[in-house]
Amino acid sequence: MTQAFDIVIVGAGMVGAALATGLGREGFSVAMVDRAPAPKFDSGSAPDIRVSALSAGSERYLQSLGAWDHILNMRATPYRRLAVWDETRHPLSNLLPRTSNQVEFDAAELNTSHLGHIIENSVTQQGLWHAAEAEPLVTILAGSGVTGINQTGEQARVALDNGEELTATLVIGADGAQSRVRDMAGIGVTRNQYGQQAMVISVRYQGPVQDITWQGFYPSGPRAFLPLYSAGSDYPGESRASLVWYDSPEEIARLGSLSNEALMAKAQQCFPTELPQLTHIEGRASFPIARQHAKHYSAGRIVLVGDAAHTINPLAGQGVNLGFQDAQCLQSILKEARRAGKDLAEAPVLASYEKQRRPANRRMMFAMDAFYHLFSNQIPPLHLLRNLGLGTARALPFARNRVARYAMGIDDELPAVIRQLAARLPGLNQL
């Protein structure tokens, strides 16, 4: 059986489902293909181990797709404050100028109700699937994998593992960092594996849901707290959160071998004192972290979005926000191409998408690597620089708020101080 569409999207995660919904709303016939079944939500279950900090810009995009209300009807936690501080105690600290080692971003100073939302990835994905299912031009093919893509002068033919075949003018790879679509297109990547790994720990803690997410930096890596939601009547007086612990692969492996009780005690001991009293660990997972960038965003009738095109250091949870920005940009460019009567896969059309998105994605890579290299060490000059930087950010609300507005997706331009620092980091000019 062969089915014809304008566009085939491979990958029905958050970014793929968002783009399918948006393109369907613009009048394109879209097939969204994913090997995984439809996501499910159980209000009584423990939270998904995977969570993201969605920016205000992403929230507006999801509202435009009709997905945001679905997400709010499940669960989403707004955060109104974001704190960053340096927990490093260098042997030469007594010789350095005394500056504040903490800076806090507050929604009230930006005249907004919140900075963003902490949301489980499965919740965001299911909200987007609901929105996609409401679009008559979107066909969801769950449980089907792609075995091959054959490009011709006028179309692409996508073979599925169930024997079906799809034809389309354009194929969009939204199938993640290990993208098979990218491999089928022959697009290479540049990759930098960091010396750290990350452990994510889903916990319950005593007290109400907090409105602040924070990150303390140590020489071995940052440790972060992301508030979730009330644990409910089964656990009165308790709330849920996600902890993120970056450290060497050896230390992450050692932590992974601990019992829940021992790991909880270790987290209570090693995280900043601002960590609430933990009561239970509900889940954990660990993974390596890497920066990766596709050498090209398109090849023939194939184009990449989200993690298939780029992955960044997950320090501030910006990866999915960049993916949503890719989706918005590509949706707008394809809409204009159709209005102008152009082939959707015409080289100038897809080059326009890359021209807009590659610099923006590089800027965020720069910012995340700048923070990573600046904080994850005990080198005296950098220790001085970060203390001065945090002190300056605390003393200059305008500079601090510029950073916050960029992270929220309100401003498009990365603050000059971050651009200048990133320009000095090794290897970034190759991205």
Side-chain angles (χ1 to χ4, degrees):
M1 180 186 297
T2 299
Q3 300 182 66
F5 298 90
D6 294 326
I7 297 168
V8 171
I9 298 176
V10 181
M14 295 181 286
V15 175
L19 187 51
T21 304
L23 290 171
R25 287 190 160 210
E26 296 292 355
F28 293 97
S29 62
V30 181
M32 184 170 69
V33 181
D34 201 298
R35 191 180 301 275
K40 299 184 183 300
F41 173 73
D42 178 359
S43 61
S45 67
D48 185 352
I49 197 71
R50 303 164 304 158
V51 303
S52 295
L54 298 191
S55 68
S58 292
E59 179 181 333
R60 290 193 300 272
Y61 178 46
L62 296 178
Q63 286 174 337
S64 76
L65 298 177
W68 189 245
D69 285 345
H70 292 301
I71 292 170
L72 294 183
N73 287 337
M74 288 179 279
R75 49 198 185 203
T77 303
Y79 63 95
R80 297 172 178 84
R81 296 176 294 146
L82 184 155
V84 178
W85 60 84
D86 181 13
E87 291 286 338
T88 302
R89 296 294 179 263
H90 192 273
L92 299 180
S93 292
N94 61 329
L95 301 179
L96 299 176
R98 291 185 176 275
T99 57
S100 171
N101 70 342
Q102 179 169 338
V103 61
E104 183 174 304
F105 305 90
D106 194 318
E109 296 180 5
L110 297 171
N111 297 316
T112 186
S113 61
H114 56 276
L115 297 176
H117 282 78
I118 308 295
I119 306 177
E120 299 153 73
N121 289 3
S122 59
V123 168
T124 302
Q125 184 188 14
Q126 184 160 2
L128 284 161
W129 272 55
H130 282 310
E133 288 167 346
E135 296 301 322
L137 291 177
V138 176
T139 300
I140 300 176
L141 301 174
S144 298
V146 173
T147 59
I149 301 174
N150 180 38
Q151 301 189 56
T152 67
E154 297 183 352
Q155 65 179 4
R157 306 182 75 87
V158 180
L160 304 184
D161 57 13
N162 62 4
E164 295 186 14
E165 184 178 71
L166 314 176
T167 63
T169 301
L170 183 68
V171 176
I172 299 175
D175 52 341
Q178 306 302 319
S179 171
R180 295 193 67 222
V181 170
R182 187 183 63 225
D183 292 342
M184 292 174 186
I187 299 174
V189 298
T190 57
R191 180 178 175 84
N192 179 60
Q193 188 80 37
Y194 294 102
Q196 297 171 325
Q197 292 187 2
M199 171 174 279
V200 180
I201 311 169
S202 180
V203 300
R204 295 201 308 266
Y205 65 90
Q206 289 181 356
V209 178
Q210 298 199 9
D211 70 346
I212 185 170
T213 179
W214 49 254
Q215 201 152 222
F217 285 90
Y218 297 76
S220 59
R223 296 165 198 173
F225 170 85
L226 293 80
L228 289 172
Y229 52 91
S230 170
S233 58
D234 289 342
Y235 309 101
E238 295 186 9
S239 301
R240 288 185 162 106
S242 181
L243 308 183
V244 189
W245 190 333
Y246 297 80
D247 218 306
S248 67
E250 296 76 18
E251 180 63 12
I252 292 297
R254 192 187 68 79
L255 294 171
S257 69
L258 298 177
S259 67
N260 281 348
E261 292 73 18
L263 180 59
M264 186 167 64
K266 191 69 174 176
Q268 203 77 63
Q269 172 190 349
C270 295
F271 268 63
T273 56
E274 285 78 1
L275 182 67
Q277 183 63 45
L278 304 181
T279 61
H280 189 73
I281 288 179
E282 297 186 307
R284 62 169 99 173
S286 59
F287 52 90
I289 56 176
R291 181 187 73 223
Q292 180 173 283
H293 210 175
K295 293 183 178 179
H296 308 284
Y297 283 8
S298 65
R301 295 190 173 275
I302 296 174
V303 64
L304 307 176
V305 295
D307 284 356
H310 47 77
T311 61
I312 64 173
N313 192 309
L315 277 178
Q318 292 297 313
V320 71
N321 295 313
L322 288 182
F324 285 147
Q325 291 167 23
D326 288 350
Q328 287 179 278
C329 177
L330 185 57
Q331 177 183 324
S332 175
I333 285 172
L334 295 179
K335 175 184 176 181
E336 178 58 27
R338 185 185 58 179
R339 188 197 65 79
K342 297 179 180 178
D343 185 335
L344 299 181
E346 187 176 311
V349 172
L350 300 183
S352 176
Y353 162 68
E354 181 159 357
K355 183 178 180 180
Q356 292 183 49
R357 290 307 306 154
R358 181 174 288 274
N361 292 327
R362 288 183 70 211
R363 284 196 296 269
M364 186 59 76
M365 288 180 173
F366 286 170
M368 294 303 99
D369 268 31
F371 281 111
Y372 174 83
H373 287 282
L374 184 60
F375 284 97
S376 296
N377 61 76
Q378 287 185 294
I379 301 172
L382 291 180
H383 189 270
L384 171 61
L385 178 60
R386 66 174 175 257
N387 275 334
L388 290 175
L390 287 173
T392 300
R394 190 168 185 267
L396 299 175
F398 174 76
R400 180 175 74 241
N401 292 342
R402 281 287 311 280
V403 174
R405 290 175 64 85
Y406 176 75
M408 290 171 63
I410 297 173
D411 290 348
D412 293 329
E413 186 64 25
L414 188 66
V417 64
I418 300 297
R419 294 200 309 271
Q420 292 165 7
L421 177 60
R424 294 176 169 84
L425 293 179
L428 289 184
N429 59 354
Q430 299 174 6
L431 292 174

